[in-house]
Amino acid sequence: MIINVYTLIMLFVAFLSLFLGGFLFYAALKTFLDFEPTIPSETKSKLEQKGYLIFLLACVILSVRMLAWPWFYFMLQSFVSEVPGAMCIFGVTQILPATVTFLQIIKPVSFFMMGGWLLCYYVDKSTPTAPLTRMNLFFLLIVCSILLADSIADIYYVLRMKPLMSVSCCATFFDVPLRPSAMIPQAIFGRHFQKMLFIMYYLTNIALIVLLFATLSKKWPLLAPLPRKIILYGQAAIGIINIPVVIYAFIENIAPRLMQLPYHHCIYCLIGNGLVPDAPIMLGLFVMGTFAIGWMGILRLFCMVTETQMVTERLLVKVNNLSAFCLLASIAMVTIHLILT
Amino acid sequence: MTKNFWIGLIIILIIALAGVSYQKFWKNPRCAYDGSAIPLIYEVDIVLKDQSTRKFCSVFCATQWYKNNTHLIDHVVVTDEIRGVKIDSYMAYFVESELITNETNDNRIHVFQQRQDALTHAEKFHGAMTDDPFTLDE
């Protein structure tokens, strides 16, 4: 185990969320199984207090746990100097590769799910009759399962991480001609895939921002249901397509240009080595913008019951605003760097 | 769009401009191939035909860049790792040995100004003299 401030905080958060998350899972499961839509008034107050405590505990744990995602990358960056041969986070990921891959996948998934749950809970809490309580309890069970898996993997990784082996440089993976980030787009777009990726990056992002602003316009409530549905499904579809497009465009085009290293495609060097100090903000804004589209989907799917419709619609406007802002800010930052660097 | 939206956007634009300024004016020179820090004793400078210079952290990185840009290059300056003196690559002696200069790319090519230093290093670290990697194959 490597001991530094990052690993100690990570361990503390992981143990805390493991114990509290375990208790939360048990309490949520018990409440979910005992849940009845109509209950006698003498037990109502007791159940309300219990439910309130469960949800309060969930809010605290999930909020803390969401911060574990960026913290994980701070921790990996702190290991770079400890691992022989590592030049960036990529080198660190060569030690316990299966666990790191699992963590790199589960962390965004848990961030997304926790964010979705917090929004659903906000809607339910803002309504006097709390009509979504049962659904929120069920959703909380799923979120708790992910949280527990994430915490256990964090603890396992931090305790087992030993920089005993020498690792290879990121250039041996990201800069070889047969790298996956080049082969997949090449198979789709042909030889001039880098140019096409760059065009696609701007096209999909601009289309997404336009669709997000369309739902914010004053004419939106006056639109017929069919065009509204087309715009909303369009947002979701382009939002999903935009994820691989942005990832490949960053690796193949944007990262080398921003780092001023035309042959170096390492995304970890872009975010961690300080070559482009604001790169984590660019990528963070993209992640928030994309996740916000997914959160809007969750809200529309689960929280559009009669009692909560007004609250949900108000919240949807806010999340839509957040998504449009984050995507616009991300693309603006990239453009400024590309023009001025 | 609310006032906060525009304020946020302006803050983001200021951050981006600050990032660009840092890259242009304050950042220390990094290896032009992989972006790592450059140890002075192993520095390789490739001078281009327009008289601009690209700096590299090791012979390995410099040769990788060199292979892709031969038409742009005027000459290559390497650093004698005994004295830290900068010399033209065609005047230097190169030794490939078991001693690694840069663990991230496993560079084993060492540069010396004097032949005796090169021979001593080769003997000590089980290496052998090698050709100048910065010459074009005929």
Side-chain angles (χ1 to χ4, degrees), chain B residues 18-62:
Chain B
V20 173
S21 321
Y22 169 82
Q23 278 190 290
K24 284 209 166 196
F25 305 113
W26 291 298
K27 193 179 74 177
N28 289 327
R30 294 272 189 150
C31 174
Y33 183 69
D34 65 10
S36 58
I38 304 172
L40 289 176
I41 204 77
Y42 300 123
E43 183 179 319
V44 178
D45 297 348
I46 293 183
V47 182
L48 306 185
K49 283 175 183 157
D50 64 3
Q51 295 309 305
S52 62
T53 308
R54 294 275 189 282
K55 290 178 185 293
F56 299 89
C57 64
S58 62
V59 174
F60 172 84
C61 285

Side-chain angles (χ1 to χ4, degrees), chain A residues 24-25 27-33 35 51-52 54-59 62 113-127 129-145 295 298-305 308 311-312 315:
Chain A
L24 187 64
F25 184 84
L29 184 67
K30 203 162 171 277
T31 316
F32 180 74
L33 293 175
F35 192 87
Y52 176 75
I54 288 172
F55 286 130
L56 184 68
L57 184 63
C59 286
L62 299 189
M113 296 294 278
M114 288 168 191
W117 185 85
L118 287 171
L119 289 174
C120 288
Y121 174 64
Y122 173 82
V123 171
D124 194 41
K125 196 174 69 95
S126 309
T127 321
T129 52
L132 304 172
T133 308
R134 192 174 159 82
M135 190 272 297
N136 272 344
L137 276 170
F138 181 67
F139 195 1
L140 185 60
L141 287 175
I142 299 169
V143 172
C144 272
S145 314
W295 291 332
I298 289 177
L299 285 174
R300 284 201 180 96
L301 208 63
F302 299 118
C303 303
M304 275 298 193
V305 291
T308 58
V311 181
T312 308
L315 189 61

